[in-house]
Amino acid sequence: MESLTSRMQAVQSPIIPVVGELIKNSPGTISLGQGVVSYNPPDEAIEFLAKFLAEPANNLYKSVEGIPPLLTALAGQLQSFNRIEINGENCIVVTAGSNMGFMNAILAITNPGDEIILNTPYYFNHEMAIAMVGCRPVLVATDENYQLRPEAIAQAITPKTRAVVTISPNNPTGVVYSEAALRQVNQICGTANIYHISDEAYEYFTYNGVKHVSPGSFDNSSEYTISLYSFSKAYGFASWRIGYMVIPKHLLVAVKKVQDTILICPPVISQYAALGALQAKDEYLKSHIGAIAQVRQLLLDSLNRLQGLCSIIPANGAFYFFLKVHTQMNAFELVKRLIQEHKVAVIPGTTFGMDDRCYLRIAYGALQKETAKEGIERLVQGLETIVRS
């Protein structure tokens, strides 16, 4: 029976449940690990559940690509915030989270043995999806500030390349890619006749006046740009599983085949909640992201105490910092000791493809100010104690 499991044996195990089990076995641990927010969906999302319940036919299957009212609302959102016009060349497909959007895209555009370019550090679920479908991730290192290297990306393209993936704001580094670099990568993809998959799950989480840019808004990019979005982060929808993708129109039939097979249709009750969330006033996002920005600054101030012991690259997006620890210690061993000895959890950089040195991802979106203060204090003290011992 070994051959029946060989495909999945080549895929790395998700790190979040592994770290979660360590936390479970060390009660009182503060998690700086999982990338979620602490706040709830807006009231409008809950109010729209009544509209779902009021329609008896809502217990039936609905359109594979999403219910029409949500598609219309998303088109307006894309136009106003992302500057992406939904026209005859592109279309929206609602998904059960943006991870599903990525898998939809990979299945729609590849054959086994094809290559997808990932910039390192990569998002582990992207690498896992590529491995699952029998394709090969081609890794291109970012620069010393975790910014894109378009020339290196261009050099990595082969006849088997089907797409380049970018994530901005980035998970796990928190950096925001410059418009110039994104334009360059997008142009490279267009010239090479491959796809640019742009993961924008953290589009609203930017700081210090930095603005988010969507490659799907660039001129003449609709035919080869695949844009992925999520309600999980900005709207506190993690368990509701709603995201969406903007794809070239010529991929719609293929994507619908994938989605109909795996999901049939996105959960309709969650689609109603998403439609309600889009009615929320601007103050909802502004106040919550403002609170996260305060936690971010608190972490930065504390991490400055680790100069000489760690390197931290300034990051103006998402809710992550990617810490380079100056030690020969294995990153996962360091994570285990931080949990077991200092009751603070982070994620090892190895799961993001960074195994040459010791890296840690710190997530701060899920913490209130006081909890974050205690958590980062434990982390700083833990690193000082373990690394210097």
Side-chain angles (χ1 to χ4, degrees):
M1 300 293 276
E2 185 177 347
S3 62
L4 295 179
T5 59
S6 61
R7 176 193 293 265
M8 298 312 296
Q9 285 174 342
V11 179
Q12 68 164 303
S13 294
I15 192 65
I16 298 298
V18 175
V19 173
E21 191 64 24
L22 290 170
I23 294 171
K24 182 181 175 182
N25 294 330
S26 186
T29 296
I30 294 176
S31 177
L32 298 170
Q34 194 163 19
V36 294
V37 295
S38 64
Y39 55 86
N40 294 323
D43 292 340
E44 291 86 347
I46 308 305
E47 291 165 4
F48 263 61
L49 298 183
K51 296 180 182 290
F52 167 83
L53 295 170
E55 175 51 64
N58 276 339
N59 65 311
L60 303 175
Y61 294 130
K62 299 298 179 182
S63 173
V64 174
E65 63 264 47
I67 59 174
L70 181 56
L71 293 173
T72 298
L74 290 173
Q77 182 85 347
L78 287 160
Q79 178 79 56
S80 61
F81 184 78
N82 305 92
R83 299 183 180 178
I84 294 176
E85 180 184 357
I86 300 303
N87 50 41
E89 295 181 347
N90 60 11
C91 57
I92 304 167
V93 176
V94 180
T95 59
S98 62
N99 270 7
M100 182 172 190
F102 186 82
M103 183 61 92
N104 283 353
I106 296 299
L107 284 167
I109 68 174
T110 66
N111 290 309
D114 285 342
E115 298 173 349
I116 304 292
I117 293 176
L118 299 180
N119 297 280
T120 57
Y122 54 64
Y123 172 45
F124 54 83
N125 280 139
H126 287 172
E127 189 270 345
M128 291 166 67
I130 293 165
M132 280 182 195
V133 301
C135 292
R136 188 171 81 88
V138 173
L139 309 183
V140 175
T142 49
D143 69 16
E144 64 275 7
N145 292 317
Y146 304 127
Q147 290 289 336
L148 296 171
R149 296 165 56 233
E151 298 83 1
I153 292 170
Q155 290 173 1
I157 294 172
T158 75
K160 289 189 174 183
T161 305
R162 293 295 170 261
V164 176
V165 180
T166 60
I167 310 169
S168 183
N170 188 260
N171 177 10
T173 66
V175 302
V176 180
Y177 296 148
S178 70
E179 179 174 349
L182 287 170
R183 282 187 179 276
Q184 199 171 346
V185 171
N186 195 259
Q187 187 173 29
I188 287 168
C189 291
T191 302
N193 197 31
I194 60 178
Y195 294 96
H196 181 180
I197 302 177
S198 174
D199 187 328
E200 303 173 38
Y202 300 89
E203 57 184 327
Y204 295 105
F205 296 88
T206 58
Y207 315 100
N208 298 323
V210 172
K211 300 295 184 184
H212 172 67
V213 177
S214 296
S217 68
F218 300 157
D219 291 341
N220 305 314
S221 70
S222 294
E223 288 202 356
Y224 59 87
T225 304
I226 299 170
S227 306
L228 307 178
Y229 301 97
S230 174
F231 277 75
S232 296
K233 312 304 180 183
Y235 291 102
F237 261 55
S239 71
W240 291 83
R241 308 314 306 137
I242 286 290
Y244 55 104
M245 55 195 307
V246 179
I247 59 173
K249 197 66 172 283
H250 64 258
L251 289 179
L252 180 59
V253 171
V255 167
K256 286 175 70 172
K257 287 179 183 178
V258 176
Q259 183 139 302
D260 184 71
T261 301
I262 297 173
L263 187 68
I264 298 184
C265 68
V268 178
I269 190 169
S270 296
Q271 291 190 70
Y272 270 78
L275 184 57
L278 291 175
Q279 318 303 314
K281 295 181 173 59
D282 292 343
E283 184 59 29
Y284 170 80
L285 290 178
K286 185 177 178 181
S287 62
H288 286 304
I289 294 175
I292 289 176
Q294 292 180 18
V295 173
R296 172 185 177 275
Q297 190 58 51
L298 188 152
L299 262 69
L300 270 179
D301 293 343
S302 296
L303 289 171
N304 283 334
R305 290 162 44 193
L306 294 173
Q307 288 184 3
L309 198 67
C310 302
S311 299
I312 182 166
I313 301 301
N316 288 309
F319 33 74
Y320 305 112
F321 288 122
F322 204 61
L323 206 61
K324 180 180 179 181
V325 186
H326 305 313
T327 178
Q328 298 301 312
M329 187 180 299
N330 174 274
F332 186 67
E333 287 303 312
L334 179 54
V335 167
K336 284 203 294 188
R337 288 190 61 183
L338 285 168
I339 294 171
Q340 293 166 353
E341 299 170 19
H342 298 274
K343 295 197 180 299
V344 61
V346 290
I347 302 296
T350 45
T351 199
F352 304 101
M354 303 292 279
D355 51 13
D356 58 327
R357 302 283 180 85
C358 184
Y359 295 90
L360 304 174
R361 189 192 74 173
I362 303 170
Y364 54 88
L367 301 178
Q368 301 295 332
K369 212 169 183 180
E370 286 308 309
T371 309
K373 189 174 182 180
E374 174 63 23
I376 197 63
E377 186 64 28
R378 293 182 189 182
L379 178 64
V380 170
Q381 290 184 358
L383 288 173
E384 288 177 333
T385 301
I386 297 170
V387 177
R388 286 186 171 142
S389 62

